[in-house]
Amino acid sequence: MGRAAPLLLGILSIGCCIVTYNLLTMILRNPSVGKWIHEDSNRGLSFDPVVKIPEKVKKRKMSNHAPFHVALTATDAPYSKWQCRIMYYWFKKKKDLPGSAMGGFTRILHSGKPDNLMSEIPTMVVDPLPSGMDRGYVVLNRPWAFVQWLQKAKITEEYILMAEPDHIFISPLPNLAYGGLPAAFPFFYIQPDENEKIIRKFYPEEYGPVSNVDPIGNSPVIIKKDLMQKIAPTWMNISLKMKNDPETDKAFGWVLEMYAYAVASALHGVTHILRHDFMVQPPWDIYVGKSYIIHYTYGCDYSMKGELTYGKIGEWRFDKRSYIRRPPPKNLPLPPLGVPQSVVSLVKMVNEASANLPNWDTT
């Protein structure tokens, strides 16, 4: 028995090496396993939930220093313009800091004509959808805008960050993508598995399980340009089909275009590295932490005691929808004591931008 032990250990060691080799080969050769790959805030690679990678592999640093081009879609409405100005202000502040892979910047203006921000923000004008085709859902113009931009733009970066006007860069953003695996933020309200019946209208069974559809939207996403060129037309067509299907339109509502991007990506066999630290969304995310973007899509309503009154207008509030026709005034009052740090940071960053941007009140 004692003589057999070394032989047994040797066989087990060889077997472990083979398993490790096969696992790494699977990761490198089969992008579909990307759904299980998550990257921690220290840029280490982890593989979850089925197979554990040896620690020496898990802790390997994922380095992608390739710059990415920031692209956001926008309209010429005041509501869109003041958000774009704040977004571009903070882009310029963070772009050249250590750790940044932020390259060029384009505002894709899908109003069909130039506006008064052309000299302030690098902009390409593209056409909106034909009149009436968006059926009042202006976001439906986003995939069509990207299709046009990708056809016309001459950008040097290999990667693209798809962003939105209500994003503020908190920190210099590195390239979170890894090779052919794009990086995306997982949204808790994008639930393909819970909507399988509807998803199957656009993602047939022969393409695989509904779990292949990532719980994401198109933004924020860092993705290779050539990959996006393939996905964008499909994203546009799926968006239009979903909008024209009453059941889907009712079920998905204002996140319909997000589901369309997730389905289009899956149709092309693309999965994403899911990065929870990509951004925070006040007031639900309390701390900024080591995240890279603040997304201020939700209203922030609080009592003067610092208590959240969501769904009811607070004694103190910041909600971007309060400023549809004009930009927010300079020097917004800070939240009361007890309000989360993420909300305080948001208001301070809006105030700094509005204080330093010229002609703010006439945006």
Side-chain angles (χ1 to χ4, degrees), residues 283-354:
W284 308 118
D285 294 310
I286 297 175
Y287 300 105
V288 168
K290 294 183 179 180
S291 296
Y292 300 103
I293 292 171
I294 289 179
H295 181 211
Y296 55 100
T297 190
Y298 296 106
C300 300
D301 288 275
Y302 290 88
S303 71
M304 295 311 292
K305 295 179 180 179
E307 298 165 337
L308 181 66
T309 62
Y310 195 77
K312 177 183 176 183
I313 294 177
E315 297 172 275
W316 180 95
R317 80 179 324 226
F318 176 78
D319 187 339
K320 66 178 184 177
R321 295 163 191 83
S322 300
Y323 309 104
I324 298 289
R325 294 179 177 82
R326 64 185 64 84
K330 293 183 178 182
N331 197 28
L332 290 166
L334 292 178
L337 284 175
V339 170
Q341 178 244 359
S342 62
V343 179
V344 177
S345 297
L346 166 61
V347 177
K348 285 182 176 180
M349 295 182 87
V350 169
N351 280 346
E352 179 179 329
S354 64

Side-chain angles (χ1 to χ4, degrees), residues 8 28 40 59-60 62 66 69 79 91 105 124 127 131 160 175 235 259 269 271 273 279 286 302 331 352 354:
L8 180 58
L28 294 172
D40 62 30
K59 292 179 180 178
R60 176 172 59 85
M62 297 176 71
H69 193 98
Y79 178 66
F91 165 82
F105 187 103
M124 175 177 282
D127 294 325
S131 179
I160 296 167
N175 190 337
W235 174 29
Y259 270 103
T271 55
I273 300 170
M279 69 181 187
I286 297 175
Y302 290 88
N331 197 28
E352 179 179 329
S354 64

Side-chain angles (χ1 to χ4, degrees), residues 91-168:
F91 165 82
K92 291 191 293 182
K93 293 266 290 187
K94 305 298 182 181
K95 177 182 183 296
D96 296 321
L97 295 179
S100 168
M102 301 156 84
F105 187 103
T106 302
R107 180 181 63 133
I108 308 170
L109 183 61
H110 54 77
S111 300
K113 59 184 185 299
D115 65 5
N116 63 336
L117 296 182
M118 302 294 289
S119 60
E120 179 179 333
I121 306 175
T123 300
M124 175 177 282
V125 179
V126 298
D127 294 325
L129 288 168
S131 179
M133 187 173 284
D134 66 12
R135 294 170 55 195
Y137 180 54
V138 68
V139 184
L140 213 58
N141 286 278
R142 183 176 293 155
W144 172 225
F146 268 106
V147 168
Q148 296 174 81
W149 179 68
L150 289 164
Q151 289 175 344
K152 299 175 183 179
K154 292 180 174 59
I155 63 172
T156 58
E157 297 89 351
E158 184 183 4
Y159 290 84
I160 296 167
L161 165 66
M162 292 188 285
E164 296 182 14
D166 60 353
H167 288 175
I168 294 178

Side-chain angles (χ1 to χ4, degrees), residues 31 41-42 44 50 97 123 139 211 234 243 260 305 309 363:
S41 58
N42 296 315
V50 181
L97 295 179
T123 300
V139 184
S211 58
T234 308
K243 189 64 181 174
K305 295 179 180 179
T309 62
T363 298

